[in-house]
Amino acid sequence: MAVDSSLSSPLGPPACEKDAKALRFIEEMTRNADAVQEQVLAFILARNADTEYLKRFKLGGATDRETYKSKLPIITYEDLQPEIQRIANGDRSPILSAHPITEFLTSSGTSAGERKLMPTIKEELDRRQLLYSLLMPVMNLYVPGLDKGKGLYFLFVKSETRTPGGLLARPVLTSYYKSEHFKTRPYDPYNVYTSPNEAILCSDSFQSMYTQMLCGLLERQHVLRLGAVFASGLIRAVKFLQLHWPHLARDIRSGTLNPQITDPAIRRRLADILVPDEDLADFLSAECSKENWEGIITRIWPNTKYLDVIVTGAMAQYIPTLEYYSNGLPMACTMYASSECYFGLNLNPMCKPSEVSYTIMPNMAYFEFLPHEPNAGGASDKEIKLVDLVDVELGKEYELVITTYAGLCRYRVGDILRVTGFHNSAPQFHFVRRKNVLLSIDSDKTDEAELQKAVDNASRLLLEYSTSVVEYTSYADTKTIPGHYVIYWELLVKEATNEPSDDVLRRCCLEMEESLNSVYRQGRVADNSIGPLEIRVVKTGTFEELMDYAISRGASINQYKVPRCVNFTPIMELLDSRVVSSHFSPALPHWTPERRR
């Protein structure tokens, strides 16, 4: 379809008139970023002026930045927990937001082991949908012809619960997939999925994955892009194919659906799609029975132009595996979002993963930035002045602080970002890492305090064997599928005749898992996205060798501390060369979708 040349955008020529409108919106927002931010804050403060939280700080109806910054403190989730608990328990008064809290979006776990509850309001779905609507217009600038095929995306709903007051609590993507915005989305030739809604909305992860994989295979020649939310999810899908291709090939050959798929909605939908195809079944069997799975994605889906997955932050550890499976296809990280708020998008989605930067869209929330200088020392966070969106400096790192329409005020998200450039007046950020996170395989996030607590709890099982943990470190092993936590222990065994057995150390593994947060345990039990935790016992003196190595590379002997997480290859090689035994968790840890009361 010809597009009016007057509709062209500085970002590039749009693929269609609908795209032209989206690109113009991006230009308008980013050109006027500071004015938009001022309007967003004034709107939020005016609307929520009579909320209990804002009245506490005596703003007196002021909606300007200076008054707001002088009167409201910077906060964390723990600071808001009393208010959030009241809402969760059923208090419907305007505590944080003038608009009713319609549900909670569950975020990564707190130190107490429960997922955070992020309040949201009905209109936030519109705001999230708006950001989604900008993704394909940008992608179409870089990859032509996406309207000529489909996307194979592995999308899943996760468990949801209700708070004591009756509000739903569920992950942000589950909220979106179950919304009318998603279920009744208008047809868009540039954004068609092979996965039917019935498969995406099935809560049984096996049935959902099986059906999405089957539909993706049936339409293998039409697939132009392949993705999942996280890189770990796409790798898990490849592993699923490796395990279940004989059943999938049998279904395709016979035109009948595996009896393990019992979901009535899926069975009805597949009855219209699944017909016998011997040629496809033969092809699938021939490819999947080969020992070498290098390039399997492009072998099965030969027209795939790129992978659409998040490979920034902790997900970067999966890049080599994805390159192996895909013959080096480009990896597009299209947007930056969290449970608290959706932030922005990548205006150069086909760049290298190491160069991914996100442009913050100034209409999504009010954004401030806490300068992050880990080696500065001295100044406390309260003494450091926050910086506005347009005033951040190139090359510097900041922690993101947000004020949302749903009532989070000057809330520390915990993401560390580095400024890489500007699009018009809106800054572009590279996601550096989550603050204080040591280990992550999927959506789990384990910090140093939590790891220490898990080691302490597990090491109590060694007391009756007169054995203690002298030192430990860890890493997230993503070479296995699914990935798993590896903990290196150096033990002090006081009685050689009473040494702890393999069974005891396996119980230590399980005890560590029981001590980790509910997000980790859900990944182990319900999502199958994390493998059994492993303890590797190393020789006596290994951690002294580790210190010697660090000192030989310039570390100060007075300031040296054992790293609680390692990923530097020479250190990994040193540790693995000293392993005397390896032990895996023998069972699944306890997990239930019900929230603790």
Side-chain angles (χ1 to χ4, degrees):
M1 175 173 101
V3 181
D4 185 342
S5 60
S6 67
L7 298 177
S8 190
S9 156
L11 288 166
C16 60
E17 291 190 19
K18 182 183 171 190
D19 282 12
K21 184 180 176 184
L23 298 178
R24 279 202 310 276
F25 178 78
I26 293 170
E27 286 300 302
E28 183 186 339
M29 288 293 109
T30 56
R31 262 199 312 268
N32 304 300
D34 197 47
V36 173
Q37 281 282 276
E38 202 165 18
Q39 291 163 11
V40 165
L41 181 62
F43 179 84
I44 291 171
L45 294 181
R47 190 168 76 177
N48 292 336
D50 290 328
T51 59
E52 180 185 312
Y53 187 79
L54 282 184
K55 282 165 78 174
R56 187 181 305 166
F57 298 102
K58 298 180 170 54
L59 282 173
T63 60
D64 63 288
R65 296 183 200 192
E66 290 70 27
T67 306
Y68 181 65
K69 290 185 176 195
S70 68
K71 289 182 176 287
L72 267 86
I74 305 158
I75 58 166
T76 64
Y77 183 77
E78 285 67 31
D79 297 320
L80 271 191
Q81 262 189 316
E83 286 79 11
I84 286 173
Q85 198 56 57
R86 282 171 55 200
I87 298 168
N89 289 341
D91 191 331
R92 296 292 177 262
S93 60
I95 298 171
L96 298 176
S97 167
H99 282 214
I101 301 300
T102 51
E103 65 178 314
F104 286 106
L105 303 176
T106 53
S107 184
S108 54
T110 65
S111 56
E114 287 294 338
R115 286 179 178 267
K116 297 175 185 174
L117 292 176
M118 292 300 162
T120 191
I121 55 181
K122 188 178 180 182
E123 72 179 47
E124 276 302 303
L125 268 171
D126 297 326
R127 211 165 277 113
R128 292 200 289 271
Q129 181 62 44
L130 172 63
L131 196 62
Y132 283 126
S133 74
L134 304 177
L135 302 182
M136 287 311 292
V138 172
M139 185 57 72
N140 290 337
L141 296 172
Y142 293 88
V143 185
L146 291 174
D147 57 333
K148 304 296 189 291
K150 299 184 178 184
L152 168 52
Y153 283 80
F154 296 98
L155 308 174
F156 303 93
V157 295
K158 295 198 174 184
S159 64
E160 56 187 28
T161 60
R162 288 194 181 271
T163 66
L167 286 175
L168 272 173
R170 55 190 179 179
V172 62
L173 289 173
T174 297
S175 169
Y176 176 65
Y177 298 147
K178 289 193 169 186
S179 73
E180 293 306 308
H181 286 74
F182 180 79
K183 291 192 287 188
T184 61
R185 61 196 183 279
Y187 174 77
D188 177 357
Y190 291 93
N191 205 11
V192 181
Y193 298 149
T194 59
S195 296
N197 284 1
E198 291 85 350
I200 295 168
L201 295 171
C202 176
S203 59
D204 183 298
S205 60
F206 172 82
Q207 293 189 60
S208 177
M209 175 74 88
Y210 190 96
T211 308
Q212 293 188 62
M213 183 64 76
L214 181 59
C215 292
L217 292 169
L218 293 173
E219 300 207 57
R220 75 180 198 92
Q221 297 289 359
H222 300 289
V223 171
L224 301 183
R225 52 203 175 101
L226 207 135
V229 178
F230 293 118
S232 56
L234 188 51
I235 289 169
R236 210 157 63 243
V238 174
K239 179 69 172 178
F240 187 91
L241 178 61
Q242 206 164 10
L243 291 172
H244 298 286
W245 68 260
H247 295 100
L248 291 157
R250 188 176 61 208
D251 289 4
I252 293 167
R253 191 179 303 281
S254 66
T256 58
L257 186 58
N258 187 331
Q260 282 185 273
I261 309 305
T262 57
D263 185 285
I266 288 178
R267 294 199 73 87
R268 282 194 300 271
R269 184 64 185 271
L270 267 290
D272 300 328
I273 298 172
L274 190 57
V275 294
D277 188 337
E278 293 224 1
D279 290 344
L280 177 55
D282 288 343
F283 168 80
L284 184 62
S285 299
E287 285 298 330
C288 293
S289 59
K290 292 175 183 174
E291 194 170 320
N292 182 6
W293 270 53
E294 185 173 3
I296 192 68
I297 288 174
T298 46
R299 281 155 46 190
I300 301 286
W301 296 281
N303 299 312
T304 308
K305 297 185 178 188
Y306 66 93
L307 306 180
D308 190 344
V309 283
I310 293 172
V311 287
T312 51
M315 291 295 122
Q317 60 196 337
Y318 295 102
I319 292 171
T321 309
L322 281 178
E323 286 176 335
Y324 174 81
Y325 284 139
S326 73
N327 267 335
L329 280 176
M331 298 174 207
C333 295
T334 55
M335 69 182 289
Y336 172 37
S338 77
S339 304
E340 295 91 336
C341 175
Y342 278 29
F343 305 120
L345 65 164
N346 182 0
L347 296 181
N348 183 18
M350 299 302 278
C351 66
K352 294 177 183 174
S354 60
E355 296 170 0
V356 168
S357 290
Y358 300 102
T359 302
I360 297 281
M361 291 299 288
N363 60 306
M364 299 305 293
Y366 181 64
F367 300 103
E368 297 175 89
F369 298 86
L370 182 65
H372 180 69
E373 298 168 8
N375 300 318
S380 70
D381 287 339
K382 290 180 181 176
E383 295 169 323
I384 299 173
K385 191 177 179 184
L386 268 65
V387 178
D388 282 323
L389 180 68
V390 299
D391 295 328
V392 294
E393 295 180 46
L394 192 64
K396 289 198 172 179
E397 291 187 3
Y398 299 89
E399 183 182 348
L400 181 58
V401 177
I402 58 172
T403 296
T404 70
Y405 297 86
L408 297 179
C409 294
R410 307 198 86 191
Y411 177 90
R412 296 175 67 162
V413 175
D415 288 359
I416 306 299
L417 310 175
R418 183 185 307 116
V419 185
T420 57
F422 288 81
H423 181 75
N424 296 321
S425 61
Q428 298 176 307
F429 294 94
H430 175 71
F431 179 90
V432 178
R433 59 182 173 84
R434 285 285 296 171
K435 192 176 182 184
N436 300 329
V437 170
L438 278 187
L439 293 167
S440 179
I441 293 290
D442 190 46
S443 54
D444 55 297
K445 298 176 182 75
T446 298
D447 64 21
E448 186 167 338
E450 192 173 10
L451 182 63
Q452 179 70 55
K453 177 186 161 195
V455 170
D456 288 346
N457 289 347
S459 61
R460 289 195 190 104
L461 299 177
L462 303 175
L463 292 176
E464 64 180 285
Y465 302 93
S466 302
T467 297
S468 58
V469 178
V470 175
E471 272 300 357
Y472 70 92
T473 189
S474 64
Y475 90 102
D477 183 356
T478 57
K479 293 186 181 69
T480 60
I481 301 173
H484 69 291
Y485 288 9
V486 175
I487 317 297
Y488 294 95
W489 274 8
E490 184 176 320
L491 300 178
L492 176 61
V493 182
K494 292 179 182 173
E495 299 173 13
T497 56
N498 192 28
E499 201 171 332
S501 65
D502 171 64
D503 180 60
V504 171
L505 288 162
R506 278 154 48 88
R507 283 194 285 122
C508 288
C509 293
L510 182 57
E511 183 60 36
M512 284 197 69
E513 293 197 301
E514 294 285 9
S515 303
L516 296 174
N517 64 49
S518 64
V519 184
Y520 173 91
R521 287 180 282 116
Q522 180 177 338
R524 280 280 284 124
V525 177
D527 303 337
N528 300 315
S529 60
I530 304 172
L533 182 142
E534 177 185 4
I535 289 175
R536 295 179 188 170
V537 178
V538 295
K539 290 178 184 175
T540 302
T542 295
F543 280 84
E544 281 187 35
E545 291 183 58
L546 206 61
M547 182 175 72
D548 291 342
Y549 178 78
I551 291 167
S552 74
R553 289 176 50 83
S556 162
I557 192 165
N558 294 319
Q559 294 180 306
Y560 174 79
K561 290 198 312 186
V562 173
R564 291 308 178 206
C565 183
V566 294
N567 54 22
F568 184 49
T569 302
I571 289 179
M572 310 287 298
E573 289 173 348
L574 188 155
L575 286 166
D576 282 330
S577 71
R578 304 297 188 272
V579 171
V580 293
S581 63
S582 184
H583 316 270
F584 287 89
S585 186
L588 292 170
H590 175 75
W591 177 79
T592 171
E594 294 302 318
R595 293 187 61 79
R596 288 192 212 146
R597 293 291 182 261

